[in-house]
Amino acid sequence: PSNGAPCTENLQLTFTLDDNASDVSWEIRRNADNSVTASGGGWPDVPGGVTVTDDICLPIDSYRLIVTDAGGDGIPGGGYVLIDAQGRRIVDANGMFTTTSSVFLPFDVPLSNMTMQANSCDRTNVMANTNLYALTQPGAQQYQFWFFDPHGSYSRRINRTPNFVRPSQMITSPLPLDMDLNVRVRVRVGGVWSPFGAACRLLLPSGGMQRVSLLDDSVTLSLYPNPTQGDKVYLLMENLVDEQQRIEIDLYDAVGRQVYHDAFGNEGSTLNTVLDLGGELAKGAYSVRIAVNGAVRSERLMVQ
């Protein structure tokens, strides 16, 4: 190994191959210097394809997995998955690539125990307003969700204070539709980020991002004072239609980072509540996103 350390991290790389198994090869390269630490492939061609598994041992470090198909058509009907000794997925990819498949950013070993909750893992019906939950970590200051295409066309990380994220919150570089994505999560405790944990598969079907509904124009909304000193802001909404509502309020700074979140229930046609912003926000413009039973409206808030 190029970093001079003993191998302690046992991994398995499993391929489901097509008829042209001899076309497929792989390398794991150390991210620091791009040196090849492990490699394999070039299996015998078998009609109907086969499933093969290579055992790999790596030192603790940061790496990139690169899968190549000499035929230029990927692995039709197949794919590959890289797991650690506990069976936790690092990359879970279908065979829909051309010549090269590789995640845009490197992976680290060992993994942490952070992952998505079971009802938010391996879903093919994710909508724009679907809440995707990570496991709850006591003392967590932030959760970071990493969405990526295993073949390298997309990579997006988003930090959240609560342990969930919605696709509709990723306004810049939104999640692509009809693509098998992986999502991994890590957590910051005591100012230190954990390693990323196990990967899950997610897919947003066509039309999912169009299912975001806007709050009806008949609903009036007031934020005051605006501008504010960044401490307490009053929110008044009137003409709410549903007798019972689920209210979610998120505040984002100018670069899209979430700086405030609250969620609660409300009854009746009026909502009158206070957003306690803590008086620690930097001066500037913020976006306030209010969702009532999934229907949303955004307002601009100035802190001075």
Side-chain angles (χ1 to χ4, degrees):
S2 55
N3 70 359
C7 75
T8 57
E9 307 305 309
N10 293 304
L11 310 181
Q12 285 189 331
L13 179 58
T14 298
F15 286 88
T16 301
L17 297 161
D18 59 7
D19 296 351
N20 302 308
S22 61
D23 286 346
V24 179
S25 60
W26 62 269
E27 294 178 333
I28 290 181
R29 292 180 173 267
R30 184 176 177 234
N31 190 54
D33 57 11
N34 204 38
S35 59
V36 177
T37 305
S39 62
W43 301 278
D45 293 333
V46 177
V50 294
T51 297
V52 296
T53 297
D54 282 351
D55 293 320
I56 306 163
C57 187
L58 300 176
I60 294 173
D61 213 327
S62 181
Y63 300 93
R64 295 187 70 227
L65 169 64
I66 303 167
V67 175
T68 303
D69 178 65
D73 63 350
I75 312 174
Y80 62 90
V81 58
L82 179 66
I83 65 172
D84 70 0
Q86 285 74 49
R88 298 176 296 193
R89 287 171 287 176
I90 301 171
V91 182
D92 188 351
N94 61 31
M96 297 173 62
F97 63 99
T98 53
T99 301
T100 303
S101 170
S102 182
V103 179
F104 182 75
L105 294 173
F107 67 89
D108 297 330
V109 288
L111 281 64
S112 74
N113 290 323
M114 281 303 303
T115 188
M116 305 298 290
Q117 294 185 16
N119 60 0
S120 295
C121 189
D122 296 339
R123 294 189 55 171
T124 60
N125 60 344
V126 176
M127 297 291 110
N129 274 341
T130 300
N131 286 337
L132 300 170
Y133 289 88
L135 294 178
T136 302
Q137 174 65 45
Q141 297 165 305
Q142 278 187 314
Y143 297 82
Q144 186 177 77
F145 297 83
W146 177 21
F147 298 87
F148 60 90
D149 170 21
H151 305 314
S153 70
Y154 179 85
S155 181
R156 173 74 153 84
R157 293 181 178 181
I158 180 170
N159 293 354
R160 296 277 292 154
T161 301
N163 68 321
F164 69 89
V165 65
R166 289 185 297 269
S168 60
Q169 292 168 328
M170 285 171 275
I171 299 171
T172 58
S173 188
L175 296 182
L177 303 179
D178 298 321
M179 178 181 289
D180 281 326
L181 298 171
N182 285 188
V183 57
R184 301 178 67 188
V185 64
R186 63 178 178 172
V187 65
R188 186 164 67 94
V189 178
V192 177
W193 285 106
S194 74
F196 281 100
C200 292
R201 273 197 182 193
L202 293 176
L203 184 139
L204 279 72
S206 294
M209 294 306 287
Q210 281 69 50
R211 298 192 185 186
V212 177
S213 59
L214 300 178
L215 202 58
D216 192 271
D217 290 340
S218 63
V219 177
T220 61
L221 187 154
S222 300
L223 279 174
Y224 58 93
N226 189 8
T228 176
Q229 299 298 316
D231 43 16
K232 288 185 180 353
V233 176
Y234 296 88
L235 169 63
L236 174 64
M237 301 180 73
E238 297 179 300
N239 302 323
L240 296 171
V241 176
D242 297 328
E243 180 61 28
Q244 295 185 329
Q245 307 103 29
R246 170 69 174 175
I247 309 294
E248 294 188 66
I249 303 172
D250 296 286
L251 185 67
Y252 300 92
D253 66 12
V255 296
R257 291 175 298 198
Q258 185 197 48
V259 295
Y260 176 88
H261 170 79
D262 197 9
F264 51 90
N266 184 65
E267 294 184 356
S269 62
T270 300
L271 168 68
N272 196 344
T273 189
V274 178
L275 283 58
D276 188 352
L277 305 180
E280 298 180 354
L281 295 179
K283 295 180 181 179
Y286 293 81
S287 174
V288 184
R289 182 186 185 278
I290 302 105
V292 181
N293 291 342
V296 301
R297 184 179 296 177
S298 295
E299 295 288 335
R300 183 181 174 90
L301 178 68
M302 293 299 300
V303 176
Q304 64 180 17

